[in-house]
Amino acid sequence: MSASATASNARPGGRPRDGAIDHVVREAARRLLAERGYRALTFETLARETGVPRSMIYRRWPTKTHLANEIAVGGEASFADVIAGGGLEPQMAGLIRQIFARYQVASIAAASVGVIADTQGDRALQAELRGEAEAINRAALRGIVAAGQQAGTIRMDVDGDVLFDMIVGGIVYRTLFSLQPAPSEYVADYTRRIVASIAAPAPPVLSPRQDD
Amino acid sequence: MSASATASNARPGGRPRDGAIDHVVREAARRLLAERGYRALTFETLARETGVPRSMIYRRWPTKTHLANEIAVGGEASFADVIAGGGLEPQMAGLIRQIFARYQVASIAAASVGVIADTQGDRALQAELRGEAEAINRAALRGIVAAGQQAGTIRMDVDGDVLFDMIVGGIVYRTLFSLQPAPSEYVADYTRRIVASIAAPAPPVLSPRQDD
DNA sequence: AGGAATACGGTACACTGTGTAGCGTTACTT
DNA sequence: AAGTAACGCTACACAGTGTACCGTATTCCT
């Protein structure tokens, strides 16, 4: 998304980029991240293991932070996509399963922490790398919350931002620390917890539940 | 805690360690972490800025990961301490305030991510560095949950581990990403949310619908 | 076909940071 | 006085970063 936007700004002349190289390097990076963690991810090692000259890697990603970021957020669809119809519970369950699935990919989790660690104290770089993807998802969740509040299924005092931190933070944290997939009961419990925390109080007796 | 356990194993002879050096370096490290992030934390820089020779720093902390870890978990009292009496709400509020306070210290947050990034893929180092502190706090929360369940204030299906990830994760995540102190309303909202997610259902006076 | 543009493949370099080793000197204990 | 360990300093080997610069190969445009 950020780097290696080859095809888009392809000017007239010139030898075309070899997409295979991008692919090979990315794959090697993912493997390194998953197997040996962010620290082991170096352009030096990537060059050694793929046979791609180091200079070529630099031509695509200015720093390893950029490469890691691409892996961390790459192809990240807005979480809003999955959340189509359904009531509050299935909606949230879908969202949470989605986030869990994403961050349980070891390379993504590893890349994410690495990027965070690397960009601390550099607001410009932070904004450059992480701005979009998260903003999109944050906005998506805010939309869901607003809709739920209109429909009366979500409490009025729920703040989408706080909720976002709680959901994503809890998941990311767990994945990063345990580095083990969460059992499905864990996910279910997590979902229950989130729903309980935002669900509008049970309506008084006069208004019976309609959407069972 | 882990390194620089000077006073404890002070054998008879020999020149005593200069505690001032530990202090100066730690302070500089904290400042670096807070102002410029984990990436800027190097023994080289510490030596340059404090005047302490690099070799002296290595004598106290084998790697910068160890130093960062000391800052990340150093002096970490069990969160159980603050949670004395009171009902569920004030208890949780106290706990959450405590965790917020801790991770809103920029140097602690920065050090924490750094250590995570550095220890990925090295289970031995992970265990060495992070084992104790977190285990203690996790156990403390489990205790609180158990007690609350006995007292009937916390739902029976609440799992202390899941709750721990949710609380700490949300807070850490927010701190790391925003790097700005959470406004007090945020903390209050966060607390409300957690309490809502674990509180036992209100006694079923009017509610026709019992919880399973 | 010729020229412009750009990627490829490789080498070299300056620089920063890591971690280890060794040295004589200093301070404290017995 | 002897023993011990930290101090303060220097040097070294090494890994990784990021930049610059080649000649070569491939493509588009005129």
Side-chain angles (χ1 to χ4, degrees):
Chain A
M1 186 191 236
S2 53
S4 71
T6 316
S8 58
N9 51 352
R11 301 252 191 60
R15 177 175 179 169
R17 273 221 178 146
D18 185 350
I21 293 180
D22 296 66
H23 183 257
V24 166
V25 173
R26 250 194 297 262
E27 277 315 302
R30 264 191 269 267
R31 204 178 46 70
L32 265 181
L33 283 167
E35 292 175 4
R36 299 173 47 205
Y38 188 74
R39 212 179 186 193
L41 181 73
T42 69
F43 280 11
E44 196 83 32
T45 306
L46 285 173
R48 217 180 305 121
E49 299 201 350
T50 60
V52 173
R54 205 159 51 89
S55 58
M56 308 247 48
I57 306 180
Y58 273 106
R59 240 168 243 150
R60 279 144 226 263
W61 300 277
T63 72
K64 81 160 176 171
T65 312
H66 287 79
L67 169 56
N69 186 65
E70 196 184 291
I71 291 172
V73 307
E76 178 162 30
S78 164
F79 289 137
D81 293 352
V82 266
I83 332 279
L88 175 61
E89 185 115 23
Q91 235 182 6
M92 276 297 148
L95 174 65
I96 289 169
R97 236 192 329 264
Q98 181 95 344
I99 303 178
F100 260 112
R102 169 155 197 81
Y103 285 100
Q104 269 171 197
V105 178
S107 58
I108 290 182
S112 300
V113 222
V115 171
I116 296 174
D118 269 0
T119 56
Q120 279 166 1
D122 190 338
R123 310 293 280 192
L125 185 57
Q126 250 173 30
E128 178 191 344
L129 293 185
R130 218 184 38 221
E132 321 115 41
E134 197 195 334
I136 291 174
N137 288 323
R138 221 175 251 281
L141 185 58
R142 253 199 303 269
I144 294 174
V145 169
Q149 287 174 332
Q150 286 243 336
T153 54
I154 296 183
R155 286 163 48 179
M156 294 308 291
D157 65 350
V158 169
D159 179 326
D161 270 327
V162 181
L163 186 61
F164 184 89
D165 290 335
M166 204 164 96
I167 296 179
V168 177
I171 294 174
V172 171
Y173 185 81
R174 191 200 139 84
T175 307
L176 298 181
F177 272 74
S178 76
L179 277 185
Q180 283 175 345
S184 65
E185 315 93 61
Y186 184 101
V187 179
D189 189 33
Y190 198 88
T191 304
R192 238 196 327 272
R193 179 112 337 118
I194 296 291
V195 171
S197 83
I198 65 172
V205 196
L206 26 142
S207 106
R209 292 151 48 88
Q210 319 170 5
D211 54 3
D212 268 311
Chain B
M1 188 190 231
S2 52
S4 72
T6 316
S8 57
N9 51 352
R11 301 254 189 58
R15 179 175 178 168
R17 272 222 177 144
D18 185 351
I21 293 181
D22 297 65
H23 183 256
V24 166
V25 174
R26 251 193 298 262
E27 278 314 302
R30 265 191 268 267
R31 204 178 48 69
L32 265 181
L33 282 166
E35 293 176 4
R36 300 172 47 205
Y38 188 74
R39 211 178 186 194
L41 182 72
T42 69
F43 280 10
E44 195 84 31
T45 306
L46 286 173
R48 216 181 307 121
E49 299 200 351
T50 60
V52 174
R54 204 158 53 88
S55 58
M56 307 247 50
I57 307 181
Y58 273 106
R59 242 169 242 150
R60 280 146 225 260
W61 300 277
T63 72
K64 79 160 178 169
T65 312
H66 287 78
L67 169 56
N69 187 64
E70 195 184 292
I71 291 172
V73 307
E76 178 162 29
S78 165
F79 290 136
D81 293 353
V82 268
I83 331 281
L88 174 61
E89 184 114 25
Q91 234 181 7
M92 276 298 149
L95 174 65
I96 290 170
R97 236 193 327 265
Q98 181 95 344
I99 303 179
F100 259 112
R102 169 155 197 83
Y103 285 99
Q104 269 172 198
V105 178
S107 58
I108 290 182
S112 301
V113 221
V115 171
I116 296 173
D118 271 0
T119 55
Q120 279 165 3
D122 190 338
R123 310 294 279 193
L125 185 57
Q126 252 173 29
E128 177 190 345
L129 293 184
R130 218 186 39 222
E132 321 115 40
E134 198 194 332
I136 290 174
N137 287 322
R138 221 174 250 280
L141 184 59
R142 254 199 303 268
I144 294 174
V145 168
Q149 287 173 331
Q150 287 243 336
T153 53
I154 296 182
R155 285 164 47 179
M156 294 308 291
D157 64 350
V158 169
D159 178 326
D161 269 328
V162 181
L163 186 60
F164 184 88
D165 290 334
M166 204 162 98
I167 296 179
V168 176
I171 293 173
V172 170
Y173 185 81
R174 192 202 137 84
T175 305
L176 297 181
F177 272 73
S178 76
L179 275 186
Q180 282 176 346
S184 65
E185 315 92 62
Y186 185 100
V187 179
D189 190 34
Y190 198 89
T191 304
R192 237 195 328 270
R193 180 114 333 120
I194 295 291
V195 171
S197 83
I198 65 172
V205 185
L206 301 175
S207 166
R209 173 170 124 74
Q210 295 265 11
D211 226 14
D212 22 331

